[in-house]
mmCIF file of all heavy atoms in Angstrom:
data_model
loop_
_atom_site.group_PDB
_atom_site.id
_atom_site.type_symbol
_atom_site.label_atom_id
_atom_site.label_comp_id
_atom_site.label_asym_id
_atom_site.label_seq_id
_atom_site.Cartn_x
_atom_site.Cartn_y
_atom_site.Cartn_z
ATOM 1 N N GLN A 220 58.162 -97.392 49.235
ATOM 2 C CA GLN A 220 58.323 -98.762 48.770
ATOM 3 C C GLN A 220 57.254 -99.735 49.267
ATOM 4 O O GLN A 220 57.072 -100.788 48.666
ATOM 5 C CB GLN A 220 59.702 -99.287 49.191
ATOM 6 C CG GLN A 220 60.837 -98.542 48.561
ATOM 7 C CD GLN A 220 60.848 -98.686 47.050
ATOM 8 O OE1 GLN A 220 60.615 -99.752 46.514
ATOM 9 N NE2 GLN A 220 61.103 -97.588 46.352
ATOM 10 N N VAL A 221 56.576 -99.399 50.353
ATOM 11 C CA VAL A 221 55.604 -100.343 50.909
ATOM 12 C C VAL A 221 54.198 -99.762 50.935
ATOM 13 O O VAL A 221 53.255 -100.353 50.404
ATOM 14 C CB VAL A 221 56.033 -100.790 52.330
ATOM 15 C CG1 VAL A 221 55.004 -101.726 52.931
ATOM 16 C CG2 VAL A 221 57.398 -101.446 52.299
ATOM 17 N N ILE A 222 54.036 -98.618 51.559
ATOM 18 C CA ILE A 222 52.690 -98.091 51.793
ATOM 19 C C ILE A 222 52.050 -97.612 50.499
ATOM 20 O O ILE A 222 50.914 -98.001 50.186
ATOM 21 C CB ILE A 222 52.736 -96.967 52.850
ATOM 22 C CG1 ILE A 222 53.183 -97.561 54.184
ATOM 23 C CG2 ILE A 222 51.386 -96.300 52.978
ATOM 24 C CD1 ILE A 222 53.397 -96.547 55.274
ATOM 25 N N ALA A 223 52.736 -96.780 49.721
ATOM 26 C CA ALA A 223 52.146 -96.250 48.481
ATOM 27 C C ALA A 223 51.803 -97.352 47.482
ATOM 28 O O ALA A 223 50.690 -97.353 46.930
ATOM 29 C CB ALA A 223 53.069 -95.212 47.862
ATOM 30 N N PRO A 224 52.682 -98.334 47.216
ATOM 31 C CA PRO A 224 52.292 -99.404 46.290
ATOM 32 C C PRO A 224 51.112 -100.235 46.794
ATOM 33 O O PRO A 224 50.238 -100.626 46.002
ATOM 34 C CB PRO A 224 53.547 -100.278 46.179
ATOM 35 C CG PRO A 224 54.669 -99.379 46.519
ATOM 36 C CD PRO A 224 54.120 -98.434 47.537
ATOM 37 N N ASN A 225 51.058 -100.504 48.093
ATOM 38 C CA ASN A 225 49.923 -101.265 48.624
ATOM 39 C C ASN A 225 48.618 -100.495 48.478
ATOM 40 O O ASN A 225 47.572 -101.084 48.168
ATOM 41 C CB ASN A 225 50.152 -101.632 50.091
ATOM 42 C CG ASN A 225 50.958 -102.890 50.239
ATOM 43 O OD1 ASN A 225 50.785 -103.837 49.475
ATOM 44 N ND2 ASN A 225 51.839 -102.913 51.210
ATOM 45 N N LEU A 226 48.660 -99.189 48.701
ATOM 46 C CA LEU A 226 47.440 -98.395 48.520
ATOM 47 C C LEU A 226 47.037 -98.345 47.046
ATOM 48 O O LEU A 226 45.839 -98.399 46.723
ATOM 49 C CB LEU A 226 47.646 -96.984 49.073
ATOM 50 C CG LEU A 226 47.715 -96.881 50.595
ATOM 51 C CD1 LEU A 226 48.029 -95.459 51.011
ATOM 52 C CD2 LEU A 226 46.434 -97.366 51.243
ATOM 53 N N ASN A 227 48.011 -98.257 46.140
ATOM 54 C CA ASN A 227 47.691 -98.273 44.707
ATOM 55 C C ASN A 227 47.085 -99.610 44.294
ATOM 56 O O ASN A 227 46.112 -99.648 43.526
ATOM 57 C CB ASN A 227 48.941 -97.980 43.875
ATOM 58 C CG ASN A 227 49.364 -96.537 43.989
ATOM 59 O OD1 ASN A 227 48.554 -95.666 44.277
ATOM 60 N ND2 ASN A 227 50.634 -96.279 43.776
ATOM 61 N N HIS A 228 47.639 -100.718 44.799
ATOM 62 C CA HIS A 228 47.076 -102.041 44.491
ATOM 63 C C HIS A 228 45.675 -102.189 45.076
ATOM 64 O O HIS A 228 44.800 -102.809 44.462
ATOM 65 C CB HIS A 228 47.982 -103.160 45.018
ATOM 66 C CG HIS A 228 49.275 -103.277 44.283
ATOM 67 N ND1 HIS A 228 49.360 -103.408 42.920
ATOM 68 C CD2 HIS A 228 50.552 -103.285 44.732
ATOM 69 C CE1 HIS A 228 50.623 -103.488 42.553
ATOM 70 N NE2 HIS A 228 51.376 -103.401 43.652
ATOM 71 N N LEU A 229 45.443 -101.620 46.245
ATOM 72 C CA LEU A 229 44.106 -101.655 46.843
ATOM 73 C C LEU A 229 43.097 -100.925 45.970
ATOM 74 O O LEU A 229 41.994 -101.415 45.725
ATOM 75 C CB LEU A 229 44.137 -101.055 48.245
ATOM 76 C CG LEU A 229 42.793 -100.906 48.961
ATOM 77 C CD1 LEU A 229 42.144 -102.270 49.171
ATOM 78 C CD2 LEU A 229 42.957 -100.179 50.272
ATOM 79 N N VAL A 230 43.478 -99.761 45.484
ATOM 80 C CA VAL A 230 42.586 -98.995 44.603
ATOM 81 C C VAL A 230 42.302 -99.779 43.324
ATOM 82 O O VAL A 230 41.148 -99.854 42.866
ATOM 83 C CB VAL A 230 43.185 -97.603 44.304
ATOM 84 C CG1 VAL A 230 42.413 -96.907 43.210
ATOM 85 C CG2 VAL A 230 43.206 -96.754 45.560
ATOM 86 N N GLN A 231 43.325 -100.411 42.742
ATOM 87 C CA GLN A 231 43.132 -101.209 41.524
ATOM 88 C C GLN A 231 42.221 -102.411 41.798
ATOM 89 O O GLN A 231 41.336 -102.724 40.988
ATOM 90 C CB GLN A 231 44.478 -101.693 40.986
ATOM 91 C CG GLN A 231 45.329 -100.588 40.414
ATOM 92 C CD GLN A 231 46.743 -101.062 40.085
ATOM 93 O OE1 GLN A 231 47.100 -102.212 40.317
ATOM 94 N NE2 GLN A 231 47.549 -100.139 39.553
ATOM 95 N N ASP A 232 42.422 -103.078 42.920
ATOM 96 C CA ASP A 232 41.568 -104.217 43.253
ATOM 97 C C ASP A 232 40.127 -103.788 43.513
ATOM 98 O O ASP A 232 39.183 -104.505 43.168
ATOM 99 C CB ASP A 232 42.119 -104.974 44.460
ATOM 100 C CG ASP A 232 43.369 -105.765 44.130
ATOM 101 O OD1 ASP A 232 43.671 -105.935 42.921
ATOM 102 O OD2 ASP A 232 44.048 -106.209 45.077
ATOM 103 N N LEU A 233 39.942 -102.628 44.105
ATOM 104 C CA LEU A 233 38.588 -102.138 44.327
ATOM 105 C C LEU A 233 37.920 -101.757 43.008
ATOM 106 O O LEU A 233 36.713 -101.951 42.838
ATOM 107 C CB LEU A 233 38.596 -100.947 45.288
ATOM 108 C CG LEU A 233 38.839 -101.285 46.758
ATOM 109 C CD1 LEU A 233 38.952 -100.021 47.579
ATOM 110 C CD2 LEU A 233 37.738 -102.173 47.299
ATOM 111 N N LYS A 234 38.689 -101.215 42.074
ATOM 112 C CA LYS A 234 38.134 -100.921 40.752
ATOM 113 C C LYS A 234 37.760 -102.212 40.026
ATOM 114 O O LYS A 234 36.753 -102.273 39.326
ATOM 115 C CB LYS A 234 39.124 -100.112 39.912
ATOM 116 C CG LYS A 234 39.222 -98.665 40.316
ATOM 117 C CD LYS A 234 40.204 -97.921 39.435
ATOM 118 C CE LYS A 234 40.338 -96.477 39.875
ATOM 119 N NZ LYS A 234 41.364 -95.755 39.103
#
Side-chain angles (χ1 to χ4, degrees):
Q220 296 297 319
V221 178
I222 295 174
N225 275 321
L226 289 176
N227 288 335
H228 291 306
L229 175 62
V230 170
Q231 290 171 358
D232 288 347
L233 286 175
K234 285 181 182 176

